[in-house]
mmCIF file of all heavy atoms in Angstrom:
data_model
loop_
_atom_site.group_PDB
_atom_site.id
_atom_site.type_symbol
_atom_site.label_atom_id
_atom_site.label_comp_id
_atom_site.label_asym_id
_atom_site.label_seq_id
_atom_site.Cartn_x
_atom_site.Cartn_y
_atom_site.Cartn_z
ATOM 1 N N SER A 21 -28.871 -23.567 -2.259
ATOM 2 C CA SER A 21 -27.494 -23.435 -2.757
ATOM 3 C C SER A 21 -27.057 -21.984 -2.613
ATOM 4 O O SER A 21 -27.897 -21.069 -2.578
ATOM 5 C CB SER A 21 -27.384 -23.884 -4.207
ATOM 6 O OG SER A 21 -27.695 -22.813 -5.080
ATOM 7 N N GLN A 24 -28.120 -19.174 -5.135
ATOM 8 C CA GLN A 24 -29.568 -18.982 -5.195
ATOM 9 C C GLN A 24 -30.138 -18.230 -3.991
ATOM 10 O O GLN A 24 -31.225 -17.676 -4.075
ATOM 11 C CB GLN A 24 -30.269 -20.337 -5.341
ATOM 12 C CG GLN A 24 -30.006 -20.978 -6.692
ATOM 13 C CD GLN A 24 -30.672 -22.327 -6.830
ATOM 14 O OE1 GLN A 24 -30.129 -23.335 -6.396
ATOM 15 N NE2 GLN A 24 -31.850 -22.381 -7.420
ATOM 16 N N ARG A 77 -29.096 -28.992 3.882
ATOM 17 C CA ARG A 77 -28.164 -29.135 2.760
ATOM 18 C C ARG A 77 -27.963 -27.753 2.130
ATOM 19 O O ARG A 77 -28.929 -27.096 1.730
ATOM 20 C CB ARG A 77 -28.760 -30.124 1.746
ATOM 21 C CG ARG A 77 -27.922 -30.282 0.538
ATOM 22 C CD ARG A 77 -28.353 -31.419 -0.398
ATOM 23 N NE ARG A 77 -27.480 -31.328 -1.536
ATOM 24 C CZ ARG A 77 -27.850 -30.986 -2.760
ATOM 25 N NH1 ARG A 77 -29.115 -30.772 -3.066
ATOM 26 N NH2 ARG A 77 -26.956 -30.854 -3.716
ATOM 27 N N HIS A 121 -22.092 -25.976 -6.391
ATOM 28 C CA HIS A 121 -23.458 -25.894 -6.914
ATOM 29 C C HIS A 121 -23.486 -24.714 -7.899
ATOM 30 O O HIS A 121 -24.200 -23.735 -7.696
ATOM 31 C CB HIS A 121 -24.461 -25.733 -5.764
ATOM 32 C CG HIS A 121 -25.885 -26.032 -6.126
ATOM 33 N ND1 HIS A 121 -26.672 -26.916 -5.411
ATOM 34 C CD2 HIS A 121 -26.683 -25.560 -7.107
ATOM 35 C CE1 HIS A 121 -27.892 -26.962 -5.944
ATOM 36 N NE2 HIS A 121 -27.916 -26.139 -6.978
ATOM 37 N N TRP A 122 -22.578 -24.784 -8.874
ATOM 38 C CA TRP A 122 -22.660 -24.017 -10.120
ATOM 39 C C TRP A 122 -22.068 -22.614 -10.136
ATOM 40 O O TRP A 122 -22.007 -22.000 -11.199
ATOM 41 C CB TRP A 122 -24.100 -23.940 -10.636
ATOM 42 C CG TRP A 122 -24.785 -25.257 -10.717
ATOM 43 C CD1 TRP A 122 -24.228 -26.507 -10.538
ATOM 44 C CD2 TRP A 122 -26.161 -25.495 -11.000
ATOM 45 N NE1 TRP A 122 -25.184 -27.478 -10.701
ATOM 46 C CE2 TRP A 122 -26.379 -26.884 -10.972
ATOM 47 C CE3 TRP A 122 -27.236 -24.647 -11.276
ATOM 48 C CZ2 TRP A 122 -27.620 -27.456 -11.216
ATOM 49 C CZ3 TRP A 122 -28.478 -25.208 -11.511
ATOM 50 C CH2 TRP A 122 -28.672 -26.609 -11.478
ATOM 51 N N ASN A 165 -22.967 -30.822 -7.374
ATOM 52 C CA ASN A 165 -24.407 -30.929 -7.546
ATOM 53 C C ASN A 165 -24.749 -31.017 -9.038
ATOM 54 O O ASN A 165 -24.444 -30.114 -9.812
ATOM 55 C CB ASN A 165 -25.121 -29.703 -6.961
ATOM 56 C CG ASN A 165 -26.634 -29.844 -7.084
ATOM 57 O OD1 ASN A 165 -27.237 -30.670 -6.406
ATOM 58 N ND2 ASN A 165 -27.246 -29.079 -7.975
ATOM 59 N N GLU A 166 -25.369 -32.113 -9.438
ATOM 60 C CA GLU A 166 -25.963 -32.291 -10.756
ATOM 61 C C GLU A 166 -24.980 -32.064 -11.911
ATOM 62 O O GLU A 166 -25.065 -31.082 -12.658
ATOM 63 C CB GLU A 166 -27.189 -31.377 -10.922
ATOM 64 C CG GLU A 166 -28.259 -31.650 -9.882
ATOM 65 C CD GLU A 166 -29.525 -30.814 -10.053
ATOM 66 O OE1 GLU A 166 -29.520 -29.875 -10.846
ATOM 67 O OE2 GLU A 166 -30.517 -31.112 -9.378
ATOM 68 N N CYS A 169 -26.292 -30.973 -15.320
ATOM 69 C CA CYS A 169 -26.618 -29.547 -15.521
ATOM 70 C C CYS A 169 -25.346 -28.751 -15.779
ATOM 71 O O CYS A 169 -25.330 -27.846 -16.627
ATOM 72 C CB CYS A 169 -27.335 -28.970 -14.297
ATOM 73 S SG CYS A 169 -28.956 -29.676 -14.056
ATOM 74 N N ASN A 221 -28.754 -35.697 -10.774
ATOM 75 C CA ASN A 221 -30.174 -35.451 -11.084
ATOM 76 C C ASN A 221 -30.598 -36.439 -12.153
ATOM 77 O O ASN A 221 -30.193 -36.331 -13.309
ATOM 78 C CB ASN A 221 -30.412 -34.003 -11.536
ATOM 79 C CG ASN A 221 -29.602 -33.594 -12.734
ATOM 80 O OD1 ASN A 221 -28.405 -33.854 -12.799
ATOM 81 N ND2 ASN A 221 -30.243 -32.955 -13.697
ATOM 82 N N ASN A 291 -31.331 -36.353 -6.946
ATOM 83 C CA ASN A 291 -32.289 -35.247 -7.115
ATOM 84 C C ASN A 291 -33.300 -35.698 -8.144
ATOM 85 O O ASN A 291 -32.920 -36.097 -9.251
ATOM 86 C CB ASN A 291 -31.597 -33.974 -7.625
ATOM 87 C CG ASN A 291 -30.704 -33.344 -6.581
ATOM 88 O OD1 ASN A 291 -30.606 -33.825 -5.455
ATOM 89 N ND2 ASN A 291 -30.039 -32.261 -6.958
ATOM 90 N N TYR A 293 -37.100 -34.838 -10.077
ATOM 91 C CA TYR A 293 -38.208 -33.901 -10.299
ATOM 92 C C TYR A 293 -39.282 -34.410 -11.256
ATOM 93 O O TYR A 293 -40.454 -34.240 -11.016
ATOM 94 C CB TYR A 293 -37.663 -32.569 -10.844
ATOM 95 C CG TYR A 293 -36.927 -31.776 -9.780
ATOM 96 C CD1 TYR A 293 -35.550 -31.914 -9.603
ATOM 97 C CD2 TYR A 293 -37.612 -30.920 -8.932
ATOM 98 C CE1 TYR A 293 -34.882 -31.200 -8.613
ATOM 99 C CE2 TYR A 293 -36.950 -30.205 -7.938
ATOM 100 C CZ TYR A 293 -35.583 -30.352 -7.788
ATOM 101 O OH TYR A 293 -34.942 -29.658 -6.801
ATOM 102 N N MET A 321 -43.081 -25.113 -13.511
ATOM 103 C CA MET A 321 -41.964 -25.204 -14.474
ATOM 104 C C MET A 321 -42.423 -25.936 -15.727
ATOM 105 O O MET A 321 -41.611 -26.213 -16.606
ATOM 106 C CB MET A 321 -40.780 -26.000 -13.882
ATOM 107 C CG MET A 321 -40.136 -25.413 -12.665
ATOM 108 S SD MET A 321 -39.258 -23.881 -13.014
ATOM 109 C CE MET A 321 -37.738 -24.480 -13.706
ATOM 110 N N TRP A 323 -43.174 -28.995 -15.592
ATOM 111 C CA TRP A 323 -42.636 -30.343 -15.412
ATOM 112 C C TRP A 323 -43.771 -31.246 -14.932
ATOM 113 O O TRP A 323 -44.499 -30.892 -13.988
ATOM 114 C CB TRP A 323 -41.511 -30.356 -14.359
ATOM 115 C CG TRP A 323 -40.296 -29.570 -14.740
ATOM 116 C CD1 TRP A 323 -39.993 -29.043 -15.962
ATOM 117 C CD2 TRP A 323 -39.210 -29.210 -13.864
ATOM 118 N NE1 TRP A 323 -38.778 -28.388 -15.906
ATOM 119 C CE2 TRP A 323 -38.283 -28.468 -14.642
ATOM 120 C CE3 TRP A 323 -38.922 -29.438 -12.517
ATOM 121 C CZ2 TRP A 323 -37.096 -27.959 -14.113
ATOM 122 C CZ3 TRP A 323 -37.746 -28.940 -11.987
ATOM 123 C CH2 TRP A 323 -36.835 -28.208 -12.775
ATOM 124 N N GLU A 351 -32.816 -33.762 -3.362
ATOM 125 C CA GLU A 351 -33.721 -32.697 -3.808
ATOM 126 C C GLU A 351 -34.968 -33.323 -4.391
ATOM 127 O O GLU A 351 -34.895 -34.279 -5.163
ATOM 128 C CB GLU A 351 -33.113 -31.830 -4.932
ATOM 129 C CG GLU A 351 -32.133 -30.803 -4.481
ATOM 130 C CD GLU A 351 -31.601 -29.958 -5.637
ATOM 131 O OE1 GLU A 351 -32.339 -29.715 -6.620
ATOM 132 O OE2 GLU A 351 -30.426 -29.565 -5.542
ATOM 133 N N TRP A 398 -36.692 -29.555 -1.789
ATOM 134 C CA TRP A 398 -36.190 -28.371 -2.494
ATOM 135 C C TRP A 398 -37.357 -27.423 -2.626
ATOM 136 O O TRP A 398 -38.317 -27.758 -3.312
ATOM 137 C CB TRP A 398 -35.637 -28.709 -3.884
ATOM 138 C CG TRP A 398 -35.071 -27.457 -4.508
ATOM 139 C CD1 TRP A 398 -35.736 -26.555 -5.294
ATOM 140 C CD2 TRP A 398 -33.745 -26.936 -4.327
ATOM 141 N NE1 TRP A 398 -34.910 -25.513 -5.623
ATOM 142 C CE2 TRP A 398 -33.684 -25.720 -5.039
ATOM 143 C CE3 TRP A 398 -32.614 -27.369 -3.625
ATOM 144 C CZ2 TRP A 398 -32.526 -24.935 -5.068
ATOM 145 C CZ3 TRP A 398 -31.473 -26.593 -3.667
ATOM 146 C CH2 TRP A 398 -31.434 -25.383 -4.393
ATOM 147 N N ASN A 403 -36.385 -18.749 -4.249
ATOM 148 C CA ASN A 403 -35.041 -18.212 -4.466
ATOM 149 C C ASN A 403 -34.781 -17.953 -5.948
ATOM 150 O O ASN A 403 -35.702 -17.967 -6.765
ATOM 151 C CB ASN A 403 -33.999 -19.155 -3.848
ATOM 152 C CG ASN A 403 -34.078 -20.560 -4.418
ATOM 153 O OD1 ASN A 403 -34.197 -20.749 -5.624
ATOM 154 N ND2 ASN A 403 -34.017 -21.571 -3.549
ATOM 155 N N TYR A 404 -33.527 -17.726 -6.264
ATOM 156 C CA TYR A 404 -33.117 -17.426 -7.645
ATOM 157 C C TYR A 404 -33.108 -18.724 -8.439
ATOM 158 O O TYR A 404 -32.204 -19.548 -8.265
ATOM 159 C CB TYR A 404 -31.717 -16.801 -7.607
ATOM 160 C CG TYR A 404 -31.168 -16.420 -8.964
ATOM 161 C CD1 TYR A 404 -31.650 -15.309 -9.649
ATOM 162 C CD2 TYR A 404 -30.141 -17.166 -9.547
ATOM 163 C CE1 TYR A 404 -31.142 -14.958 -10.884
ATOM 164 C CE2 TYR A 404 -29.619 -16.806 -10.784
ATOM 165 C CZ TYR A 404 -30.130 -15.708 -11.452
ATOM 166 O OH TYR A 404 -29.615 -15.355 -12.670
ATOM 167 N N GLU A 405 -34.140 -18.908 -9.268
ATOM 168 C CA GLU A 405 -34.246 -20.154 -10.028
ATOM 169 C C GLU A 405 -33.517 -19.997 -11.368
ATOM 170 O O GLU A 405 -34.102 -20.053 -12.446
ATOM 171 C CB GLU A 405 -35.719 -20.557 -10.169
ATOM 172 C CG GLU A 405 -35.999 -21.821 -10.969
ATOM 173 C CD GLU A 405 -35.213 -23.072 -10.540
ATOM 174 O OE1 GLU A 405 -34.822 -23.169 -9.376
ATOM 175 O OE2 GLU A 405 -34.988 -23.931 -11.410
ATOM 176 N N TRP A 406 -32.231 -19.721 -11.285
ATOM 177 C CA TRP A 406 -31.320 -19.697 -12.429
ATOM 178 C C TRP A 406 -31.885 -18.911 -13.614
ATOM 179 O O TRP A 406 -32.247 -17.755 -13.448
ATOM 180 C CB TRP A 406 -30.937 -21.144 -12.785
ATOM 181 C CG TRP A 406 -30.401 -21.882 -11.582
ATOM 182 C CD1 TRP A 406 -31.000 -22.919 -10.924
ATOM 183 C CD2 TRP A 406 -29.179 -21.613 -10.851
ATOM 184 N NE1 TRP A 406 -30.219 -23.319 -9.861
ATOM 185 C CE2 TRP A 406 -29.104 -22.532 -9.795
ATOM 186 C CE3 TRP A 406 -28.138 -20.684 -11.004
ATOM 187 C CZ2 TRP A 406 -28.049 -22.556 -8.888
ATOM 188 C CZ3 TRP A 406 -27.080 -20.706 -10.102
ATOM 189 C CH2 TRP A 406 -27.050 -21.635 -9.066
ATOM 190 N N PHE A 414 -40.141 -22.184 -5.437
ATOM 191 C CA PHE A 414 -39.967 -23.582 -5.017
ATOM 192 C C PHE A 414 -40.003 -23.739 -3.497
ATOM 193 O O PHE A 414 -39.869 -24.841 -2.990
ATOM 194 C CB PHE A 414 -38.592 -24.092 -5.482
ATOM 195 C CG PHE A 414 -38.543 -24.698 -6.862
ATOM 196 C CD1 PHE A 414 -38.230 -23.928 -7.972
ATOM 197 C CD2 PHE A 414 -38.780 -26.053 -7.050
ATOM 198 C CE1 PHE A 414 -38.144 -24.503 -9.246
ATOM 199 C CE2 PHE A 414 -38.695 -26.633 -8.318
ATOM 200 C CZ PHE A 414 -38.380 -25.854 -9.413
HETATM 201 O O1 IFM B 1 -33.092 -24.834 -8.344
HETATM 202 C C1 IFM B 1 -32.585 -26.016 -8.848
HETATM 203 C C2 IFM B 1 -31.368 -26.451 -8.066
HETATM 204 O O2 IFM B 1 -30.377 -25.485 -8.046
HETATM 205 C C3 IFM B 1 -30.785 -27.710 -8.650
HETATM 206 N N1 IFM B 1 -31.788 -28.722 -8.831
HETATM 207 C C4 IFM B 1 -33.033 -28.353 -9.454
HETATM 208 C C5 IFM B 1 -33.600 -27.134 -8.789
HETATM 209 C C6 IFM B 1 -34.933 -26.740 -9.446
HETATM 210 O O3 IFM B 1 -34.742 -26.424 -10.781
#
Side-chain angles (χ1 to χ4, degrees):
S21 86
Q24 292 179 276
R77 177 171 176 248
H121 197 128
W122 309 352
N165 183 70
E166 301 183 349
C169 293
N221 57 314
N291 290 358
Y293 288 92
M321 298 292 280
W323 296 349
E351 281 182 32
W398 183 270
N403 58 45
Y404 181 74
E405 179 52 26
W406 307 112
F414 272 92

